[in-house]
């Protein structure tokens, strides 16, 4: 265990489920549980300081603004960015769309001269990978449709690892954007970021990293990774729902046109035209998710207090039990690399397919045992298709996951083939 | 059958009838139809990607053929198999009543229906346990939705 | 007072500010305070039911989904819509952008045949009004830039009332969209919705209503108003930050292409292309603001329990004190209609300009007296320009505002000219 | 002057010097310059729309002219007026030190600075109360930001 009494910080973990069974929560890859400090930070804001930020001149507005911007600084610290390189977004999906739509808007003539560097059109290419979550695929498809650019993708092998043999052809002089995930939400594999970024830089393509599954589980430093943009979600990193963030290099953020237009993001508005503020404000039109930002800041501080190195070590311990245990069940296929579960390139995720049993049926048996997991395609239809599947059953961990939780999953999973009368 | 407390929800859900239908489903394999009125529908359960393509042929107000293909969980497969058993050869009005009863069963949160309706449902009463799991009701309904839609198509065909 | 002990429901109102003065919160037009039931609803969700909705098959996921969809039904009931006509959005700004960008995307070829009805281009017109909040102006400017359509606007008179003399020319056969506010956030004026909607219908233009300042204060029924779309924000109607909603006619929502792309909104995804779910899901890509939606639902129930008729009556009572009181202070100009403060066409907002004193200085004096108001242009630069001003000082009320609060504002405001040595 | 507790924050903020400068600001009205090095800057306070256009003329390392026009609250107007008084005619190095001290005063949360810095600041020490109100610091700094930027422009001009 990470910290013996860390689980006490998470009120929900005390719950019981079906017929009074203790809850084994292994769906953190979908959304994590929240420690009390996060809930308290939000509640305290509402009960003592709630006001519109950055606009008002009264005391509450000052206090709210200080808390809001302090939270931004905390999230920036967690990922090694500076404060004005963090833009709040509703979730990681919104953060990724902000980049894609901004490029689309620049290409449609919005944003003036400074936005010209982002223009793309027919003949240009956007590159993604076959392992992407829909959130880092569909926005790029739409951008391709909007601009006439071509969408390409880096394929994966049978283990779900990106195949870099043809990287030079996939990412070439025509490539304007390379968008890829840091960690797969299905195989748990950590991507070869350095090789991909180096190639993108060599051809002058922008890099957009999906940090949804890395930031909550590993030390992540955007400066060291040297990416241009990175998206993350609070609700997967012990923070509230309704908030995420986009990291972007300041000089890029200051030039990218917004895609949500409104108050608080603009400098001067006449009926005819509008000029925008600098980043991050230009991207934060409307009343911000203030309480949620403050909650995300509290989550970032909570993680930093544990220490991301220790979070990562805990992650590997759980990964070994989860993936190692699953690999030994006859008739169960583990997606992603098998046999090197304790190596440095997977996080504590185990997505499995049980021969002859549909994922919904697998999930039902686990649910009955009090084990909460995710069933379906996990917003990764292309990768499942690549594996010849339509879905899988996924267990995923977080700081509060115990070795016993992981073992409970393995044990309950082992009963599935017999229950449905299939035998390996 | 009482609404469980002794047996676990899992056993109440996966009753033997269901397991049997799932293993050897009836009506599987689309039948080529040469009838005055036939219709087809394709339904997808978007949470899991399961799909069913279902074809009906009408002979007046009688369902003379119901066949399907597709893949899915045992609940969706068994459900469409039972549907085939219940309505092929029946009159449309009867099928409608059966479908209403099945929908009611799904909404009953695991409680059995009255005897009249259970009679109508036959093997389909075995799905009573599904009603306790909102996420699975979609699975059980998938084939029935396809059936409903295919009949509408067939009637368009007719007119 | 509405209900004698209603103020006890709002923990923040017990706060003191500068030098221990009791807080007089008159900045509800910017953001309202939250009753305990809203905070409890969010907290209870996090502590007992937190899980990803609409995806998981485990018990928590079922419970979370039921609460989330129940909240949607509550918001729908509040505004007279049906449940599947309510789309969650980050705030009202995001809701308005959803419509504008959806039309932009349809015009760029996204969304296929069903989206064709939304296509606009050169020669087409979009009409707004001079009294719009930036949130209902800038997205339409951007849409005009993107598509080549022309932006027009209905002017206002010296009182801030829309001038409908030339309505037939402003809204004509070329007009594809008419977007306007239900209630002005500066003058508090209620717009002539019926006349505007009738004209839009006559020419086949879509109507988009900004309900930010109406839904929290008045009974609003979208069916009776007969508008196509309406945006609202939770944080202005006693709900949490980070959430708002778009009402849209179901058949329009089912045809409008999304503008935020990602998981949960899609039916089938291949590397090449994507098909979308029906509304509202097609617009809710990514992990939804679940706790916030539940909080917004609780706020809607809280308002319905009071009864929107009583909320409106209370609003008029406060409006009379606020606007009537202000109108009597020499050297103070009340924006909007003067002298009919108790008539049926204003809500409890009073934006004022003090001759010879800048709004920041006015706000400072009020803040010192414990009166929290908004200073600046309130995201309405064009309307202020129309009035020959760059900004104003705005007091705005809500259900918890007492007559004494309103009088405290009037009294503190009356001291301002003398403090700065200006005399009327 | 002590950091208030007797006097209200409001009185500490709007000291007589500030009121006087706001009423009759110095250096207002842009001066036409015919100097080897001159620069101009336009700054907007986006929260309220206040703006200042400020022009400097350099004569070697001396600020030979500083003039401005614009509108805003009493704090921003008084602050740029005091700025004019303090730095016109001074050497750039001295002006830099004054600006640093003023910025420090703004960050001091209402606490007075040490005597050396107060000497540098002269009338500008009256702005000590502003530091307690984060939202107003922008107002007080507006003219100083314009000054800083105008000097940069002037130096570009020079080279
Ligand atoms: C009339 C009006 N429209 C739109 C908005 C924008 O709402 P939000 O900031 O919640 O997006 C506001 C409030 O700021 C408003 O008063
Ligand atoms: C890898 C990855 N990318 C993107 C997302 C989308 O994040 P969100 O749902 O918070 O927008 C997720 C989670 O669903 C994810 O796992």
């Amino acid at each position: 265990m990470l910290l013996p009494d860390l689980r006490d910080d998470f009120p929900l973990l005390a719950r019981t489920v079906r017929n009074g069974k203790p809850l084994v929560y292994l769906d953190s890859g979908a959304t994590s549980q929240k420690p009390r400090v996060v809930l308290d930070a939000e509640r305290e804001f509402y009960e003592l300081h709630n006001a519109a930020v950055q606009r008002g001149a009264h005391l509450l507005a000052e206090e709210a603004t200080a808390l809001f911007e302090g939270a931004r600084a905390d999230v920036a610290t967690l990922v090694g960015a500076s404060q004005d390189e963090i833009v709040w977004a509703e979730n990681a999906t919104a953060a990724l769309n902000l980049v894609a739509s901004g490029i689309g808007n620049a290409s449609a003539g919005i944003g003036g001269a400074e936005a010209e560097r982002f223009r793309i059109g027919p003949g240009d290419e956007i590159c993604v990978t076959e392992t992407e979550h829909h959130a880092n695929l569909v926005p790029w498809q739409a951008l391709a449709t909007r601009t006439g650019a071509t969408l390409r993708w880096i394929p994966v092998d049978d283990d779900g690892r990106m195949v870099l043999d043809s990287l030079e052809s996939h990412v070439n002089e025509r490539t304007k954007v390379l968008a890829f995930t840091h960690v797969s939400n299905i195989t748990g594999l950590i991507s070869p970021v350095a090789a991909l970024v180096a190639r993108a830089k060599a051809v002058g393509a922008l890099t957009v990293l999906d940090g949804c599954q890395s930031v909550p589980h590993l030390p992540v430093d955007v400066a060291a990774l040297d990416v241009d943009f990175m998206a993350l979600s609070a609700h997967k990193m012990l923070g509230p729902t309704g908030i995420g963030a986009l990291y972007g290099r300041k000089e890029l953020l200051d030039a990218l046109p917004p895609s949500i237009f409104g108050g608080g993001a603009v400098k001067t508005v006449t009926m005819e035209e509008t000029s925008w503020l600098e980043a991050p404000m230009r991207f934060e039109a409307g009343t911000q998710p203030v309480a949620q930002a403050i909650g995300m800041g509290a989550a970032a501080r909570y993680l930093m207090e544990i220490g991301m190195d220790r979070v990562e070590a805990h992650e590997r311990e759980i990964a070994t039990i989860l993936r190692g245990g699953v690999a030994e069940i006859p008739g169960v296929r583990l997606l992603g690399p098998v046999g090197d579960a304790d190596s440095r390139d997977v996080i504590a995720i185990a997505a499995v397919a049980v021969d002859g049993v549909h994922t919904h049926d697998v999930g039902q048996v686990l649910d009955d045992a009090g084990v909460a997991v995710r069933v379906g395609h996990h917003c990764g239809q292309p990768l499942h298709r690549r594996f010849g599947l339509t879905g899988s059953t996924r267990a995923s961990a977080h700081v509060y996951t115990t070795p016993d939780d992981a073992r409970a999953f393995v044990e309950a999973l082992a009963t599935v083939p017999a229950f449905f009368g299939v035998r390996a | 059958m009482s609404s469980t407390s002794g047996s676990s929800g899992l056993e109440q859900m996966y009753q033997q009838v269901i397991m049997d239908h799932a293993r050897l489903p009836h009506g599987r394999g689309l039948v080529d139809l040469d009838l005055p009125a036939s219709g087809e529908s394709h339904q997808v359960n978007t949470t899991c990607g399961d799909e069913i393509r279902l074809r009906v042929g009408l002979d007046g107000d009688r369902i003379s053929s119901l066949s399907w293909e597709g893949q899915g969980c045992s609940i969706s497969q068994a459900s469409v198999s039972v549907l085939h058993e219940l309505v092929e050869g029946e009159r449309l009005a009867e099928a409608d009543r059966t479908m209403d009863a099945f929908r009611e069963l799904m909404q009953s949160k695991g409680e059995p229906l009255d005897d009249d309706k259970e009679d109508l449902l036959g093997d389909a009463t075995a799905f009573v346990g599904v009603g306790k799991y909102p996420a699975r009701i979609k699975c059980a309904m998938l084939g029935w939705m396809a059936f409903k839609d295919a009949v509408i198509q067939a009637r368009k065909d007719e007119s």
Side-chain angles (χ1 to χ4, degrees), chain A, chain B:
Chain A
M1 248 329 263
L2 238 177
L3 292 174
D5 50 6
L6 176 149
R7 280 177 69 90
D8 297 343
D9 295 343
F10 295 81
L12 187 137
L13 297 180
R15 251 204 74 153
T16 56
V17 287
R18 309 286 183 205
N19 291 322
K21 297 205 181 76
L23 168 69
V24 176
Y25 187 76
L26 285 170
D27 199 12
S28 297
T31 201
S32 66
Q33 298 305 333
K34 329 299 178 197
R36 209 170 275 108
V37 286
V38 166
L39 306 184
D40 288 347
E42 280 208 64
R43 180 117 194 180
E44 191 177 311
F45 165 72
Y46 282 130
E47 294 197 343
L48 292 177
H49 314 288
N50 175 59
V53 300
Q54 285 163 351
R55 292 154 168 69
H58 54 79
L59 178 65
L60 293 180
E62 280 174 9
E63 293 172 354
T65 305
L67 288 166
F68 179 68
E69 292 300 332
R72 198 194 298 273
D74 290 332
V75 171
T77 305
L78 178 70
V79 299
S82 57
Q83 189 177 339
D84 54 5
E85 293 180 324
I86 296 294
V87 178
W88 302 117
E90 191 180 13
N91 50 26
T93 301
L96 292 163
N97 276 273
L98 189 161
V99 182
S101 298
I103 296 173
N105 282 343
S107 309
I110 295 175
E114 60 182 9
E116 256 162 48
R117 64 197 288 181
F118 295 109
R119 289 204 187 152
I120 65 171
D124 291 329
E125 294 181 7
I126 302 162
C127 188
V128 297
T129 85
E130 209 177 358
T131 195
E132 296 313 310
H133 187 280
H134 296 164
N136 202 25
L137 166 59
V138 193
W140 304 111
Q141 287 179 343
L143 178 62
T145 305
R146 238 183 110 170
T147 59
T150 304
L151 184 72
R152 303 193 57 179
W153 54 91
I154 296 168
V156 300
D157 66 16
D158 292 349
D159 278 351
R161 286 186 204 274
M162 294 175 198
V163 179
L164 300 188
D165 300 352
S166 322
L167 183 58
E168 308 222 331
S169 109
H170 286 114
V171 180
N172 58 59
E173 298 64 40
R174 294 181 299 282
T175 310
K176 299 300 174 215
V177 180
L178 172 61
F180 61 99
T181 195
H182 196 173
V183 170
S184 162
N185 67 319
I186 295 168
T187 61
L189 271 167
I190 302 173
S191 304
V193 181
L196 292 165
V197 169
R199 178 61 190 158
K201 287 194 165 276
V203 300
L206 291 171
T207 47
V208 182
L209 190 67
D210 177 353
C212 270
Q213 297 288 350
S214 57
V215 175
H217 305 287
L218 309 171
V220 170
D221 184 299
V222 286
L225 293 172
D226 206 11
V227 291
D228 294 317
F229 296 99
M230 181 177 76
L232 56 155
S233 257
H235 69 94
K236 294 190 201 276
M237 48 174 269
L238 316 181
T241 59
I243 185 107
L246 175 73
Y247 156 79
R249 283 190 211 280
K250 186 62 162 66
E251 95 261 18
L252 293 173
L253 287 180
D254 281 341
L256 187 72
S259 44
I260 308 260
F261 305 95
V266 294
K267 205 184 268 177
T268 313
V269 179
T270 66
M271 290 309 291
E272 292 86 0
E273 60 177 5
T274 293
S275 60
W276 299 306
L277 293 175
E278 293 195 331
M281 290 194 336
R282 64 162 55 194
F283 299 108
E284 297 175 358
T287 303
Q288 301 89 339
V290 183
Q292 292 72 36
I294 290 167
M296 186 173 186
R301 284 199 306 278
Y302 183 84
L303 283 170
M304 290 188 283
E305 268 159 34
I306 299 178
M308 290 309 297
D309 290 340
R310 295 175 63 200
V311 171
E312 181 178 15
H314 173 254
E315 195 74 26
R316 304 221 176 284
E317 181 190 345
I318 303 294
T320 307
I321 306 175
L322 270 184
R323 299 180 67 90
V326 157
E328 283 171 16
I329 309 175
V332 170
R333 169 177 170 199
L334 174 62
L335 309 194
V338 179
D340 57 355
D342 51 349
S343 81
R344 291 198 54 85
D345 62 357
V346 279
I347 66 162
I349 281 181
V352 299
V354 180
D355 293 347
V357 186
H358 188 278
T359 169
H360 265 182
D361 295 321
V362 177
Q364 198 74 40
V365 173
L366 295 173
D367 178 46
D368 195 68
V371 182
V373 295
R374 176 82 178 264
V375 300
H377 53 61
H378 327 313
C379 299
Q381 289 186 356
L383 186 64
H384 277 98
R385 210 171 282 121
R386 171 65 182 79
F387 291 149
L389 299 168
T390 56
S392 62
T393 303
R394 181 186 72 183
S396 53
H398 219 307
V399 290
Y400 41 71
T401 305
T402 63
D404 280 349
D405 286 341
R407 283 188 280 267
F409 168 70
V410 175
E411 276 160 30
L413 187 66
T415 70
V416 169
F419 185 85
F420 289 99
V422 290
R423 274 275 164 232
Chain B
M1 186 187 54
S2 92
S3 81
T4 201
S5 57
S7 78
S8 90
L10 198 61
E11 276 148 27
Q12 198 203 9
M13 179 151 169
Y14 292 106
Q15 294 186 26
Q16 199 53 46
V17 216
I18 294 185
M19 297 295 233
D20 292 345
H21 273 281
R23 224 173 338 248
L24 286 175
H26 305 200
R28 186 172 207 159
L30 288 179
V31 172
D32 283 336
L33 293 179
D34 188 21
L35 283 166
S38 66
E40 199 176 287
S41 172
H42 179 226
Q43 297 287 325
V44 180
N45 182 345
T46 50
T47 33
C48 55
D50 288 354
E51 36 190 342
I52 277 179
R53 186 176 300 277
L54 186 144
R55 193 176 286 168
V56 295
L58 299 186
D59 184 1
D61 66 350
R62 197 175 291 279
I63 299 149
S64 61
S65 166
L66 185 159
S67 61
W68 58 277
E69 63 180 20
Q71 47 164 357
C73 62
S74 52
I75 299 298
S76 72
Q77 301 291 291
S79 174
V80 66
S81 167
V82 168
L83 168 73
H84 171 270
E85 289 296 290
L86 286 175
V87 310
E88 200 182 51
E90 295 295 326
R91 292 188 190 281
L92 281 173
E94 180 81 359
D96 271 355
R97 273 211 304 283
T98 309
M99 180 138 90
D100 286 345
F102 191 72
R103 202 180 275 119
E104 196 180 317
L105 187 73
M106 290 299 101
Q107 302 307 327
S108 76
K109 305 209 154 83
E111 297 299 321
L113 302 185
D114 63 33
D115 288 353
D116 281 1
K117 288 180 184 146
E118 296 226 328
D119 282 351
L120 260 179
L121 288 175
D123 272 6
T125 53
F127 288 87
V128 63
V130 175
K132 284 188 172 172
Y133 301 92
R136 303 305 301 277
I137 294 175
K138 273 193 212 160
C139 308
M141 291 300 298
L142 192 66
W144 297 72
M145 299 313 295
F147 168 64
K148 187 181 164 192
D149 188 42
V151 169
I152 293 173
Q153 301 308 325
R155 290 208 151 158
K156 272 194 202 145
D157 205 25
E158 220 169 21
S159 58

